[in-house]
Amino acid sequence: MQQAGYDDIREGVRALCAHYDGAYWRKVDEARGFPEAFVHALTEAGWLSAMIPAEYGGSGLGLSEASVILEEINRCGGNSGTVHGQMYNLFTLVRNGSAAQKDYYLPRLASGELRLQSMGVTEPTTGTDTTRIKTTAVRRGDRYVINGQKVWISRVQHSDLMILLARTTPLVEVVKKTEGMSIFLVDLREAIGHGMEVRPIANMVNHETNELFFDNLELPADSLIGEEGKGFRYILDGLNAERTLIAAECIGDGRWFIEKATGYARERQVFGRPIGQNQGVQFPIAEAHIEVEAADLMRWRACGEYDGGQPAGASANMAKYLAAKASWEAANVCLQTHGGFGFACEYDVERKFRETRLYQVAPISTNLILSYVAEHLLGLPRSF
Ligand SMILES: Cc1cc2nc3c(=O)[nH]c(=O)nc-3n(C[C@H](O)[C@H](O)[C@H](O)COP(=O)(O)OP(=O)(O)OC[C@H]3O[C@@H](n4cnc5c(N)ncnc54)[C@H](O)[C@@H]3O)c2cc1C
């Protein structure tokens, strides 16, 4: 089952993904490389700029359509984590950028000349406690000077632009801790080597992610997106888009795992019959299927609210929670169904198993969603 009305997008993305099969992704994963050919093809076909308004050269589509694009990449066995940054960053730029920023950047992003794949929020000493970030942006004349450090910032080596969150007013001087932060559009081509250093982090998934060091990086004052001091609000809006997109990616993963498990359970003969004839094998797959389909309903609620301009925080968080949990359960079931072969790289199960595990931690950990629901939806006392 899937939401009707997006067949053209699904078919288009699937047709493209058919050229980038399991062997392609396995090779990229083994080499710890970047799927440049895939990203190039996706850009050329216009999928990465689909949500840019038509007047700037895009297709003017919404979060619902963006979510289908990413879902299908994962549903086909690919890794949408290599490209999803541009999708949610575009929502931040389109919704909050100035006319001049949109006039300059959006046509270049639409044509594929530029990529906006990175967003720098997380810091090593503050983690999830975002309002305590220590990276500062100080206005000096027509520049902002950036100092500080970020960690786990993805796709920086394969992006031209990055949205950066920094403190413009010290925490002690603001009434509310969510105030006094601002977001900037950083031109990575100018910044790297001129006040910004990038150190890659080797990690469990083939996910290009980095530590960033800022030492008096100078940004033109017009790099500021929106109003100074309101950056946390803009980032939160972008994070709701990100969480909904990640939910859709997890739905895609979940469906891939279930199809893979079902196919193997039908074919694999042990004790003279298909393993899928045993209820002990069938039931966990059926259960995982139910969980994925249920999570998909919340994903569509989040998409509808976001595209309709309504507050989407609650649904986006719950969709991400449910979908990440469902895809991880589906991954476990798929690996178990494959027995020893689940561990063999050539089946792609172990790769996808690693890839989908990430989403219970990033972009927001499961505990933090639970605390959001407890506090904001159920009115329980704040725990931190
Ligand atoms: C591969 C990868 C790519 C990433 N890409 C990006 C990126 O592009 N940009 C970016 O800005 N960030 C990125 N991140 C960072 C990611 O968003 C964070 O890792 C995530 O939000 C968790 O933050 P943390 O690692 O600092 O964990 P911490 O905040 O240190 O938390 C550690 C653990 O403690 C738990 N915990 C903490 N506080 C509480 C509490 N009060 N109650 C209950 N439990 C709690 C958390 O749930 C978590 O399980 C990426 C991370 C990874 C691993």
Side-chain angles (χ1 to χ4, degrees):
M1 277 293 293
Q2 60 197 20
Q3 182 100 343
Y6 298 96
D7 291 352
D8 289 351
I9 297 178
R10 290 189 192 281
E11 281 163 25
V13 177
R14 275 181 204 167
L16 187 147
C17 289
H19 299 286
Y20 303 92
D21 59 4
Y24 172 82
W25 287 101
R26 220 174 301 137
K27 214 167 145 191
V28 171
D29 185 64
E30 278 162 17
R32 284 291 192 250
F34 188 76
E36 195 56 56
F38 168 75
V39 178
H40 181 74
L42 207 64
T43 308
E44 285 291 293
W47 295 117
L48 287 185
S49 55
M51 50 291 321
I52 293 177
E55 65 263 38
Y56 296 105
S59 315
L61 302 178
L63 187 66
S64 302
E65 290 85 356
S67 79
V68 171
I69 296 167
L70 296 179
E71 176 195 337
E72 284 303 324
I73 294 171
N74 279 11
R75 172 80 178 73
C76 294
N79 179 6
S80 56
T82 53
V83 292
H84 61 196
Q86 177 136 324
M87 299 287 198
Y88 52 77
N89 286 330
L90 270 175
F91 284 104
T92 306
L93 184 59
V94 169
R95 286 190 168 196
N96 307 296
S98 66
Q101 284 168 337
K102 290 198 259 193
D103 284 347
Y104 183 81
Y105 289 108
L106 293 181
R108 287 169 174 80
L109 288 161
S111 71
E113 181 190 332
L114 295 178
R115 286 180 187 170
L116 173 55
Q117 287 285 6
S118 297
M119 179 179 67
V121 173
T122 310
E123 298 194 0
T125 57
T126 48
T128 320
D129 197 358
T130 309
T131 57
R132 290 188 195 279
I133 56 164
K134 293 176 183 154
T135 297
T136 55
V138 177
R139 179 82 188 242
R140 286 205 197 118
D142 63 350
R143 327 285 290 170
Y144 278 97
V145 181
I146 314 287
N147 279 289
Q149 197 179 334
K150 296 279 174 187
V151 71
W152 299 116
I153 310 307
S154 304
R155 298 167 296 276
V156 172
Q157 298 162 58
H158 295 91
S159 185
D160 305 292
L161 303 166
M162 171 176 74
I163 290 177
L164 175 73
L165 182 73
R167 235 188 207 288
T168 35
T169 307
L171 191 55
V172 289
E173 292 176 24
V174 291
V175 179
K176 280 173 74 183
K177 61 185 183 174
T178 50
E179 291 169 358
M181 286 178 276
S182 303
I183 54 171
F184 299 89
L185 193 58
V186 179
D187 190 326
L188 293 166
R189 299 160 305 169
E190 288 174 11
I192 295 172
H194 300 97
M196 176 180 159
E197 193 195 325
V198 181
R199 280 191 216 152
I201 305 173
N203 63 85
M204 168 180 158
V205 200
N206 181 29
H207 198 99
E208 188 246 278
T209 189
N210 310 275
E211 283 182 283
L212 306 182
F213 300 87
F214 302 97
D215 182 10
N216 289 321
L217 169 70
E218 291 193 12
L219 298 179
D222 62 6
S223 309
L224 179 72
I225 299 177
E227 229 181 292
E228 187 181 297
K230 305 272 185 246
F232 190 70
R233 197 201 299 162
Y234 307 140
I235 279 285
L236 271 193
D237 187 53
L239 291 181
N240 286 335
E242 183 187 32
R243 283 165 204 179
T244 308
L245 291 173
I246 299 286
E249 292 172 51
C250 289
I251 302 292
D253 275 344
R255 289 184 173 143
W256 183 89
F257 284 120
I258 287 159
E259 188 178 296
K260 195 93 175 163
T262 310
Y264 192 78
R266 274 198 215 98
E267 282 165 23
R268 173 71 170 167
Q269 300 269 338
V270 183
F271 296 107
R273 58 186 188 161
I275 57 168
Q277 205 175 329
N278 303 299
Q279 289 187 335
V281 174
Q282 283 178 3
F283 284 8
I285 304 175
E287 207 174 355
H289 174 71
I290 293 168
E291 304 278 354
V292 170
E293 295 306 311
D296 197 33
L297 297 177
M298 187 63 81
R299 163 267 186 105
W300 283 110
R301 190 167 109 178
C303 284
E305 288 171 356
Y306 194 89
D307 284 337
Q310 298 156 23
S315 303
N317 273 293
M318 292 192 289
K320 195 270 178 186
Y321 172 90
L322 289 169
K325 198 159 166 256
S327 74
W328 176 236
E329 281 174 20
N332 260 321
V333 165
C334 185
L335 192 120
Q336 194 69 19
T337 305
H338 279 75
F341 290 104
F343 293 82
C345 296
E346 68 169 291
Y347 283 77
D348 294 318
V349 176
E350 64 81 35
R351 173 178 61 81
K352 295 283 289 174
F353 182 91
R354 285 183 278 120
E355 286 169 4
T356 216
R357 181 63 180 84
L358 173 64
Y359 296 127
Q360 291 201 40
V361 171
I364 182 171
S365 70
T366 300
N367 272 0
L368 269 289
I369 295 181
L370 292 174
S371 97
Y372 169 90
V373 171
E375 186 190 330
H376 294 281
L377 306 188
L378 304 179
L380 290 167
R382 187 171 172 78
S383 60
F384 54 85

